Amino acid sequence: MRLLTALTCAGAIAFSTSVAWADEAEFSLTLRSRSEKDGKYEVAARAQSWPAKKTAVIVCDMWDAHHCLNAVRREEEMVPRMNEFLAKARTQGAFIIHAPSSCMDAYKDHPARKRAQAAPPAKNLPKAIDQWCSKIPAEEKGKYPIDQSDGGEDDDPAEHAEWHAKLKALDRNPKAPWKSQHAGLTIRNDDAISDSGIEIWSLLEERGITNVMLVGVHTNMCVLGRPFGLRQLAKNGKNVVLVRDLTDTMYNPKMPPMVSHFEGTRLIVEHIEKFVCPTITSDQLLGGKEFRFKGDK
């Protein structure tokens, strides 16, 4: 009996120590932004420590399929690293919110979806937090860097046609084939699932979360514009960053400024750093090197 009591007490101490450690865990980050000086923008880096319990990671539109085949290929390449990033953040104590837009039916019975639906509406809901945000005032100072008016698809025409035929054969709408989040990204019961700006804002407020890391696609469209995207979070006072190596754009190199797809992504990242919010990289949590697509030379 004495041995059992001693072991029980030791276990309780170990548990309380681990809980205390989780509560005190912090992310040591280097935030990159760009500030104007004498008509030019200079890169600026500043260190910040974010309490993990006051931090969320939002996963934007990492769908199980897409109308652009090359976008699918890049997503497949990025998913393993993103899943490692989510696992690390979650282990440290961050709150993970999965936001695969227009896919909520797939998760109607999932505890993580029910958690989002059960969040009491925040008393400080920002105006239009349920709407797409095309621009914030700070962006008026600069020129949008890429032309995405063609939708940004960069597929080979023959491959594109074959891909759409395959999607149709799978009984998916070739123009909007997504039905769920990519299966390679783990969703735990204690995460949340939502594509609602109201629900996501309320989840953050319910937990006293002031810091948000955003990963996912596509940087120049959904990542910036969704009701839970960078613009809405930044303009409404959240300490938000883009994880710049865990994202991708919809940009066709045949459109101005006629640069590579990956350079187009970098131009959008620079725009974000100038006018929307800072950025970080995944290695700041995971160590090693930041993620880079194989085709990015």
Side-chain angles (χ1 to χ4, degrees):
M1 181 63 72
R2 290 178 181 175
L3 178 59
L4 178 60
T5 302
L7 289 172
T8 303
C9 291
I13 292 171
F15 175 77
S16 63
T17 301
S18 65
V19 170
W21 176 85
D23 289 341
E24 296 170 1
E26 292 191 344
F27 300 117
S28 297
L29 305 175
T30 301
L31 279 59
R32 192 177 81 180
S33 58
R34 294 170 190 263
S35 56
E36 186 179 8
K37 184 178 181 181
D38 299 328
K40 296 182 179 180
Y41 283 89
E42 297 180 350
V43 174
R46 68 182 189 275
Q48 282 193 357
S49 292
W50 286 11
K53 289 293 185 181
K54 299 291 184 181
T55 301
V57 182
I58 298 178
V59 185
C60 178
D61 292 353
M62 288 292 290
W63 290 313
D64 62 337
H66 198 273
H67 51 79
C68 176
L69 179 58
N70 279 339
V72 172
R73 288 167 171 161
R74 289 187 290 267
E75 181 190 46
E76 291 284 349
E77 192 178 338
M78 182 168 55
V79 158
R81 176 73 171 191
M82 186 178 293
N83 199 48
E84 290 178 18
F85 183 86
L86 298 178
K88 181 69 172 182
R90 187 189 289 114
T91 299
Q92 295 284 81
F95 184 47
I96 311 299
I97 302 174
H98 305 269
S101 300
S102 305
C103 297
M104 294 301 102
D105 285 350
Y107 301 103
K108 61 183 179 180
D109 297 321
H110 198 292
R113 176 71 191 118
K114 293 180 178 179
R115 174 171 293 102
Q117 292 173 308
K123 295 180 180 179
N124 65 339
L125 284 174
K127 183 180 179 181
I129 192 63
D130 60 337
Q131 297 175 22
W132 185 279
C133 185
S134 298
K135 185 180 287 186
I136 59 176
E139 291 176 272
E140 300 288 351
K141 300 175 184 177
K143 181 181 178 182
Y144 196 72
I146 63 172
D147 185 343
Q148 60 197 49
S149 59
D150 68 339
E153 290 184 342
D154 62 329
D155 288 347
D156 171 82
E159 283 191 334
H160 186 76
E162 184 178 344
W163 174 240
H164 276 219
K166 182 177 181 180
L167 289 171
K168 192 172 182 179
L170 293 171
D171 196 28
R172 295 193 180 218
N173 176 3
K175 294 183 179 180
W178 40 85
K179 293 186 177 182
S180 66
Q181 185 167 273
H182 193 289
L185 298 175
T186 301
I187 303 177
R188 290 177 56 101
N189 288 346
D190 49 359
D191 295 344
I193 303 172
S194 178
D195 62 355
S196 161
I198 292 174
E199 287 180 357
I200 290 176
W201 185 271
S202 298
L203 283 165
L204 299 177
E205 291 301 293
E206 183 183 31
R207 288 159 177 77
I209 291 174
T210 54
N211 306 308
V212 181
M213 304 176 188
L214 205 144
V215 302
V217 297
H218 287 101
T219 332
N220 54 324
M221 296 179 179
C222 299
V223 169
L224 271 169
R226 289 286 185 192
F228 51 82
L230 295 176
R231 290 188 179 115
Q232 285 281 24
L233 294 173
K235 78 172 185 176
N236 289 304
K238 292 300 181 186
N239 193 21
V240 60
V241 297
L242 169 69
V243 185
R244 65 180 181 267
D245 62 326
L246 295 182
T247 192
D248 184 35
T249 50
M250 285 296 292
Y251 168 67
N252 180 3
K254 295 180 180 179
M255 300 292 284
M258 312 295 188
V259 295
S260 74
H261 174 86
F262 303 107
E263 184 61 25
T265 299
R266 279 188 280 275
L267 290 174
I268 288 294
V269 168
E270 288 180 12
H271 176 84
I272 290 168
E273 292 172 343
K274 291 174 183 176
F275 306 117
V276 183
C277 68
T279 70
I280 64 170
T281 48
S282 62
D283 57 297
Q284 294 180 32
L285 266 67
L286 293 174
K289 297 181 179 179
E290 62 186 79
F291 172 78
R292 176 170 286 194
F293 291 104
K294 294 176 182 177
D296 182 5
K297 306 301 182 183

